[in-house]
């Protein structure tokens, strides 16, 4: 099925039968973060019911134990950091966006600064500005380099993984980027005393909060998907 979409006086042709999937499926050997145990799927078994055909039941009927932030690709609204509950239904009201994929090799912080310690692996404001250019997209997808398939099953806990310079997140918000997608577990430092500076900056919380902006973390953008 071929669709033609007109946006900002430009026509895009899309083959809807060939989407490019950047989500990581959840399974026991998938990625995890935030000190969580692996996710698990287990059949419901009790005195009345066996939820496994392999174990003699009539159907497969499983419980799934997982944490959205720890076990795979997930999308957040400002409700992730706010006192108010902001569901994804309220934060994401459009479902088609023009997105730009950029590949960035993280830098090493040369000195302590806002939310950053010397030696941290970071994506800087300058790197984003250079990669995005002057044509600001509605959504930005950041692929960190090197882009190993190890990202599909890495345990990120206690690794001080790559994160976004807070001023870079602030700049994205100022440019009107509505949706930020990254292949890291978080856009903030793993241990930052709960400040979540980049999250606050991207959502402009708590002043003039961007309720319709989202952050998606733990994506995987295969090498076959071009910048």
């Amino acid at each position: 099925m071929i669709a033609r979409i007109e946006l900002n006086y430009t026509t895009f042709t899309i083959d809807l039968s060939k989407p490019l999937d950047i989500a990581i499926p959840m399974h026991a050997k998938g990625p995890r973060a935030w000190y969580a145990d692996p996710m698990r799927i287990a059949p419901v078994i009790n005195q009345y019911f066996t939820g496994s055909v392999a174990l003699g039941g009539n159907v497969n009927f499983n419980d799934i134990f997982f944490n959205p932030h720890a076990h795979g690709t997930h999308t957040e609204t400002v409700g992730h950091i706010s006192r108010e509950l902001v569901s994804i239904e309220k934060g994401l009201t459009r479902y088609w966006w023009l997105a730009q994929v950029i590949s960035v090799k993280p830098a090493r912080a040369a000195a302590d600064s806002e939310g950053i310690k010397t030696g941290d692996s970071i994506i800087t404001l300058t790197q984003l500005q250079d990669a995005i250019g002057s044509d600001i997209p509605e959504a930005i997808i950041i692929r960190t380099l090197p882009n190993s398939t190890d990202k599909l099953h890495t345990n990120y806990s206690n690794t001080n993984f790559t994160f976004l310079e807070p001023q870079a997140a602030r700049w994205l918000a100022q440019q009107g980027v509505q949706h930020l997608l990254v292949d890291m577990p978080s856009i903030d430092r793993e241990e930052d005393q709960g400040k979540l500076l980049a999250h606050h900056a991207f959502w402009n919380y708590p002043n003039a909060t961007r309720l319709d902006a989202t952050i998606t973390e733990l994506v995987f953008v295969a090498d076959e998907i071009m910048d």
Side-chain angles (χ1 to χ4, degrees):
M1 183 182 294
I2 303 299
R4 290 180 175 82
I5 297 176
E6 292 186 4
L7 180 66
N8 298 332
Y9 307 104
T10 300
T11 299
F12 298 89
T13 301
I14 303 171
D15 186 345
L16 296 178
S17 69
K18 298 178 180 179
L20 303 176
D21 189 358
I22 63 172
I24 300 177
M26 284 191 297
H27 54 88
K29 295 183 180 180
R32 55 189 168 110
W34 310 117
Y35 330 110
D37 292 332
M39 68 87 65
R40 59 191 177 92
I41 301 175
V44 175
I45 298 177
N46 54 43
Q47 60 181 320
Y48 307 106
F49 189 82
T50 297
S52 169
V53 175
L55 296 177
N58 296 318
V59 296
N60 294 309
F61 185 72
N62 296 304
D63 285 327
I64 303 175
F65 303 87
F66 73 98
N67 183 289
H69 295 279
H71 289 132
T73 307
H74 59 277
T75 298
E76 306 165 349
T77 67
V78 70
H80 183 43
I81 62 169
S82 67
R83 288 181 176 273
E84 307 78 24
L85 296 178
V86 182
S87 68
I88 194 68
E89 292 88 355
K90 293 182 179 179
L92 187 63
T93 56
R94 271 181 58 197
Y95 305 102
W96 293 92
W97 300 85
L98 189 62
Q100 180 180 356
V101 177
I102 62 171
S103 297
V104 180
K105 183 177 181 180
R108 288 289 176 185
D112 290 4
S113 60
E114 180 190 28
I116 298 170
K117 295 187 180 298
T118 303
D120 282 347
S121 177
I122 58 173
I123 296 173
T124 70
L125 170 60
T126 300
Q127 286 177 313
L128 285 190
Q129 290 174 330
D130 289 345
I132 295 173
S134 59
D135 189 9
I136 305 298
E138 297 177 316
I140 187 73
I141 303 168
I142 301 175
R143 169 172 45 200
T144 56
L145 300 176
N147 191 46
S148 169
T149 54
D150 287 348
K151 293 175 182 177
L152 297 173
H153 52 76
T154 294
N155 181 358
Y156 288 97
S157 299
N158 297 304
T159 62
N160 193 29
F161 48 73
T162 298
F163 60 98
L164 200 63
E165 193 176 38
Q167 63 176 326
R170 188 174 300 114
W171 178 79
L172 289 173
Q174 292 169 347
Q175 301 306 306
V177 174
Q178 289 295 106
H179 304 287
L180 172 59
L181 300 88
V182 301
D183 61 9
M184 305 96 72
S186 177
I187 64 169
D188 273 300
R189 197 175 195 273
E190 182 178 20
E191 295 291 345
D192 70 345
Q193 295 77 52
K195 295 179 181 178
L196 289 100
L197 296 176
H199 281 81
H200 280 77
F202 184 75
W203 281 314
N204 200 29
Y205 181 80
N207 300 313
T209 302
R210 301 201 308 150
L211 294 171
D212 56 352
T214 70
I215 298 171
T216 299
E217 295 161 336
L218 278 177
V219 303
F220 178 70
V221 187
D223 289 340
E224 291 75 20
I225 299 177
M226 304 298 291
D227 283 23

